[in-house]
Every structure is written in structure tokens, then in C-alpha cells.
Amino acid sequence: MSQPTIHATSPSNVPAKEASGPWRDAWRAFRKNKTAMLGLGIILFFVMIALLAPWIAPYDYKEQELVNRLKPPSAQHWLGTDDLGRDLFSRLIYGARISLWVGFFSVIGSMIAGTILGVLAGFYGKWIDMLISRMFDILLAFPSILLAIAIVAILGPSLQNALYAIAIVNIPTYGRLVRAKVLSLRTEEYITAARAIGMKDSRILITHILPNSLTPIIVQGTLGIAHAIIEAAALGFLGLGAQPPDPEWGKILSDSRQFIQKAPWTVIFPGLSIMLTVLGFNLIGDGLRDVLDPRMKK
């Protein structure tokens, strides 16, 4: 009686299983979102030109040529010149550095402060929660841009003070978001078990609470960068942000508003730069929300 033939499968013929994990799976899902990848491409473009500004810019952004003032776009000046004869293309490239710098670091500052306050309020509750929540309510009682203007007016007009003001007015946004998340997490069974085995509060916060609170912070932080860039442009437009000759996009718009009919390119190109950057961060934020928020998953 013949024995059945057993065919051994070569390991090389077995398809390798792709590594899995929460962040890897999120990245794979994010890559499938075409609008989110478009936003990522826009932001990477502006980040690259900001980093490579000294090598890309054809002129010094501070160089004035009054004989070439308000020249339209040409082969010599791709995006034209402003009222002082400065190359607008070079100023917009260096302006990307300022706007992205303000957006990133103001959001990082407000995220850190808001997360700390939100965790303390949500985890410990009682009078700590009441005190921090009332502070958030006071800050939220004022329109953010008006509060930012008041802070800069007190500290003095400068780009650094504008960054501080934007960070301060956005602290309640992250604080309340984290507080709500912590309130829901502290009643979970694994938190109760951690307390039962004698785990210290500090270790519970670092090991369990913070990692599980990252998702809404990341999504809100991405959207917050776009909002911070708009606020920085608004403060610059009012003369409370970057000071001359720094080429911040809002300041460029402010300096060019009187030439909107005579030289519209001086307003159109910085306005487009702000719009595209904000659009890019909003697309990324929406994509991250769809990927990381369980309620958005099908």
C-alpha cells in the first residue's frame, strides 16, 4: 500500500506577515486616506522650504532695492517685489520658518501645560478640579484673539511674546480635553486594580493615564497648529507679532494691504501661503481623527 505523499511547504513560499501594532496599524490606515496624505505632502513641502531657505531664496529677505519697488512677478523676481523692493519669494520662504516655528512651539507649550493641569484636575478631583476648571472657564470667557492681543499688549509687541500669548489662550482647550478623558479612565478596572496592589499615583499617571490620553491630544494638537498659525498671522497683521524686518506672513499682509489694488501679488501670495499651510494641517488632523478615534471607525 503506497504511503501518502506529504509536500513540505518551503518557508520562502509562505507570505511574511506584516508587523502589527496600534501605531503601525494607524499609519497604514492613515496612508489610505488620500486627503490626509495630501495634507501631509503640503506640510512637508513648507517644512522643506523653511529648512532649506538659505539655499533656496534667491535674495536676502532684508535687501531693499527701491528702484524695483512693487514690481510684478518676472523672471528676476518670481513673485514680484514689495513696497521696499524686497523679493517677495525670498520673504515668503523665510516667513515659513517663522509661521511654522510659532505654530509648533506654541502648541507644544499649550499641550504640555494643558495636559498637566487636565490630568491633575481629572485624577484628583475635589478642590483641585474646581480650582483648575474655574481657571479654564475664566480663560474661555474671552475670545481667544482678544485675550492674545491683551497679553501681547502687556508683555510688549514681539514674536516671542506672541508665541507666549497663543500658548496661554489655548491651554484650556487641551486641559478640558485631557480632564474629560482622565475622568473616564480613572473608573476603569485596571486603574482600580493598580490601586489595589499599592501602585503609587505618580506611577499610575505615567504608566496608565497618560498613554491612554494621547489620542485626543495628538488630534487636537494637529488641528491646533493650524489655529495657532492663523492667530500668529492675525497678531502680525495688527503689528503685535513679528517686528520689521522679520518676514512673518501676517506682517507681510499688513504691510501690503494699502497696495492691494496697485500690486495685488503682494497680498495674494502670502495669503495663499497661510491658506495652504492651514489647509494642510486641517487635512492631517481630520485624517488622524478618522484613524485614531474609535467612534469614526466603521
PDB file of all heavy atoms in Angstrom, residues 176-188:
ATOM      1  N   ARG A 176      -9.191  70.861  29.178  1.00  0.00           N
ATOM      2  CA  ARG A 176     -10.523  70.293  29.315  1.00  0.00           C
ATOM      3  C   ARG A 176     -10.646  68.963  28.575  1.00  0.00           C
ATOM      4  O   ARG A 176     -11.360  68.052  29.012  1.00  0.00           O
ATOM      5  CB  ARG A 176     -11.563  71.289  28.793  1.00  0.00           C
ATOM      6  CG  ARG A 176     -11.596  72.590  29.583  1.00  0.00           C
ATOM      7  CD  ARG A 176     -12.668  73.523  29.093  1.00  0.00           C
ATOM      8  NE  ARG A 176     -13.992  73.061  29.492  1.00  0.00           N
ATOM      9  CZ  ARG A 176     -15.116  73.742  29.242  1.00  0.00           C
ATOM     10  NH1 ARG A 176     -15.050  74.909  28.613  1.00  0.00           N
ATOM     11  NH2 ARG A 176     -16.274  73.275  29.617  1.00  0.00           N
ATOM     12  N   LEU A 177      -9.958  68.856  27.450  1.00  0.00           N
ATOM     13  CA  LEU A 177      -9.977  67.606  26.693  1.00  0.00           C
ATOM     14  C   LEU A 177      -9.345  66.479  27.500  1.00  0.00           C
ATOM     15  O   LEU A 177      -9.900  65.370  27.607  1.00  0.00           O
ATOM     16  CB  LEU A 177      -9.239  67.802  25.368  1.00  0.00           C
ATOM     17  CG  LEU A 177      -9.296  66.672  24.355  1.00  0.00           C
ATOM     18  CD1 LEU A 177     -10.716  66.500  23.832  1.00  0.00           C
ATOM     19  CD2 LEU A 177      -8.344  66.952  23.195  1.00  0.00           C
ATOM     20  N   VAL A 178      -8.177  66.755  28.101  1.00  0.00           N
ATOM     21  CA  VAL A 178      -7.490  65.741  28.903  1.00  0.00           C
ATOM     22  C   VAL A 178      -8.276  65.436  30.167  1.00  0.00           C
ATOM     23  O   VAL A 178      -8.378  64.271  30.589  1.00  0.00           O
ATOM     24  CB  VAL A 178      -6.060  66.213  29.239  1.00  0.00           C
ATOM     25  CG1 VAL A 178      -5.388  65.246  30.201  1.00  0.00           C
ATOM     26  CG2 VAL A 178      -5.243  66.337  27.967  1.00  0.00           C
ATOM     27  N   ARG A 179      -8.837  66.442  30.803  1.00  0.00           N
ATOM     28  CA  ARG A 179      -9.620  66.229  32.020  1.00  0.00           C
ATOM     29  C   ARG A 179     -10.780  65.274  31.763  1.00  0.00           C
ATOM     30  O   ARG A 179     -11.036  64.343  32.549  1.00  0.00           O
ATOM     31  CB  ARG A 179     -10.151  67.565  32.542  1.00  0.00           C
ATOM     32  CG  ARG A 179     -11.093  67.439  33.732  1.00  0.00           C
ATOM     33  CD  ARG A 179     -11.659  68.798  34.121  1.00  0.00           C
ATOM     34  NE  ARG A 179     -12.651  68.658  35.182  1.00  0.00           N
ATOM     35  CZ  ARG A 179     -13.950  68.412  34.965  1.00  0.00           C
ATOM     36  NH1 ARG A 179     -14.394  68.290  33.723  1.00  0.00           N
ATOM     37  NH2 ARG A 179     -14.789  68.306  35.982  1.00  0.00           N
ATOM     38  N   ALA A 180     -11.507  65.491  30.663  1.00  0.00           N
ATOM     39  CA  ALA A 180     -12.633  64.609  30.341  1.00  0.00           C
ATOM     40  C   ALA A 180     -12.166  63.179  30.095  1.00  0.00           C
ATOM     41  O   ALA A 180     -12.826  62.221  30.520  1.00  0.00           O
ATOM     42  CB  ALA A 180     -13.368  65.147  29.115  1.00  0.00           C
ATOM     43  N   LYS A 181     -11.025  63.031  29.436  1.00  0.00           N
ATOM     44  CA  LYS A 181     -10.502  61.689  29.171  1.00  0.00           C
ATOM     45  C   LYS A 181     -10.076  60.995  30.463  1.00  0.00           C
ATOM     46  O   LYS A 181     -10.347  59.809  30.670  1.00  0.00           O
ATOM     47  CB  LYS A 181      -9.323  61.783  28.203  1.00  0.00           C
ATOM     48  CG  LYS A 181      -8.774  60.437  27.738  1.00  0.00           C
ATOM     49  CD  LYS A 181      -9.780  59.714  26.877  1.00  0.00           C
ATOM     50  CE  LYS A 181      -9.198  58.435  26.329  1.00  0.00           C
ATOM     51  NZ  LYS A 181     -10.172  57.698  25.487  1.00  0.00           N
ATOM     52  N   VAL A 182      -9.428  61.740  31.360  1.00  0.00           N
ATOM     53  CA  VAL A 182      -8.953  61.165  32.622  1.00  0.00           C
ATOM     54  C   VAL A 182     -10.135  60.783  33.509  1.00  0.00           C
ATOM     55  O   VAL A 182     -10.104  59.751  34.197  1.00  0.00           O
ATOM     56  CB  VAL A 182      -8.022  62.151  33.346  1.00  0.00           C
ATOM     57  CG1 VAL A 182      -7.657  61.648  34.732  1.00  0.00           C
ATOM     58  CG2 VAL A 182      -6.755  62.371  32.530  1.00  0.00           C
ATOM     59  N   LEU A 183     -11.194  61.571  33.504  1.00  0.00           N
ATOM     60  CA  LEU A 183     -12.371  61.247  34.296  1.00  0.00           C
ATOM     61  C   LEU A 183     -12.976  59.903  33.886  1.00  0.00           C
ATOM     62  O   LEU A 183     -13.475  59.151  34.724  1.00  0.00           O
ATOM     63  CB  LEU A 183     -13.422  62.354  34.155  1.00  0.00           C
ATOM     64  CG  LEU A 183     -13.154  63.657  34.917  1.00  0.00           C
ATOM     65  CD1 LEU A 183     -14.202  64.699  34.571  1.00  0.00           C
ATOM     66  CD2 LEU A 183     -13.124  63.407  36.420  1.00  0.00           C
ATOM     67  N   SER A 184     -12.925  59.615  32.595  1.00  0.00           N
ATOM     68  CA  SER A 184     -13.449  58.331  32.128  1.00  0.00           C
ATOM     69  C   SER A 184     -12.474  57.186  32.393  1.00  0.00           C
ATOM     70  O   SER A 184     -12.892  56.045  32.606  1.00  0.00           O
ATOM     71  CB  SER A 184     -13.770  58.403  30.634  1.00  0.00           C
ATOM     72  OG  SER A 184     -12.595  58.607  29.863  1.00  0.00           O
ATOM     73  N   LEU A 185     -11.168  57.498  32.403  1.00  0.00           N
ATOM     74  CA  LEU A 185     -10.170  56.438  32.594  1.00  0.00           C
ATOM     75  C   LEU A 185     -10.023  56.029  34.057  1.00  0.00           C
ATOM     76  O   LEU A 185      -9.768  54.851  34.349  1.00  0.00           O
ATOM     77  CB  LEU A 185      -8.807  56.901  32.064  1.00  0.00           C
ATOM     78  CG  LEU A 185      -8.643  57.013  30.545  1.00  0.00           C
ATOM     79  CD1 LEU A 185      -7.284  57.613  30.210  1.00  0.00           C
ATOM     80  CD2 LEU A 185      -8.796  55.649  29.879  1.00  0.00           C
ATOM     81  N   ARG A 186     -10.183  56.944  34.969  1.00  0.00           N
ATOM     82  CA  ARG A 186      -9.888  56.630  36.372  1.00  0.00           C
ATOM     83  C   ARG A 186     -10.888  55.663  36.992  1.00  0.00           C
ATOM     84  O   ARG A 186     -10.636  55.115  38.058  1.00  0.00           O
ATOM     85  CB  ARG A 186      -9.827  57.916  37.196  1.00  0.00           C
ATOM     86  CG  ARG A 186     -11.148  58.574  37.473  1.00  0.00           C
ATOM     87  CD  ARG A 186     -10.972  59.782  38.386  1.00  0.00           C
ATOM     88  NE  ARG A 186     -12.251  60.352  38.769  1.00  0.00           N
ATOM     89  CZ  ARG A 186     -12.384  61.387  39.600  1.00  0.00           C
ATOM     90  NH1 ARG A 186     -11.300  61.945  40.117  1.00  0.00           N
ATOM     91  NH2 ARG A 186     -13.579  61.850  39.908  1.00  0.00           N
ATOM     92  N   THR A 187     -12.014  55.437  36.312  1.00  0.00           N
ATOM     93  CA  THR A 187     -13.001  54.471  36.806  1.00  0.00           C
ATOM     94  C   THR A 187     -12.822  53.100  36.158  1.00  0.00           C
ATOM     95  O   THR A 187     -13.605  52.186  36.461  1.00  0.00           O
ATOM     96  CB  THR A 187     -14.424  54.983  36.530  1.00  0.00           C
ATOM     97  OG1 THR A 187     -14.597  55.194  35.114  1.00  0.00           O
ATOM     98  CG2 THR A 187     -14.670  56.295  37.259  1.00  0.00           C
ATOM     99  N   GLU A 188     -11.844  52.965  35.287  1.00  0.00           N
ATOM    100  CA  GLU A 188     -11.626  51.668  34.634  1.00  0.00           C
ATOM    101  C   GLU A 188     -11.114  50.640  35.643  1.00  0.00           C
ATOM    102  O   GLU A 188     -10.490  50.987  36.657  1.00  0.00           O
ATOM    103  CB  GLU A 188     -10.619  51.833  33.489  1.00  0.00           C
ATOM    104  CG  GLU A 188     -11.109  52.710  32.342  1.00  0.00           C
ATOM    105  CD  GLU A 188     -12.189  52.037  31.521  1.00  0.00           C
ATOM    106  OE1 GLU A 188     -12.281  50.792  31.566  1.00  0.00           O
ATOM    107  OE2 GLU A 188     -12.940  52.755  30.838  1.00  0.00           O
TER     108      GLU A 188
END
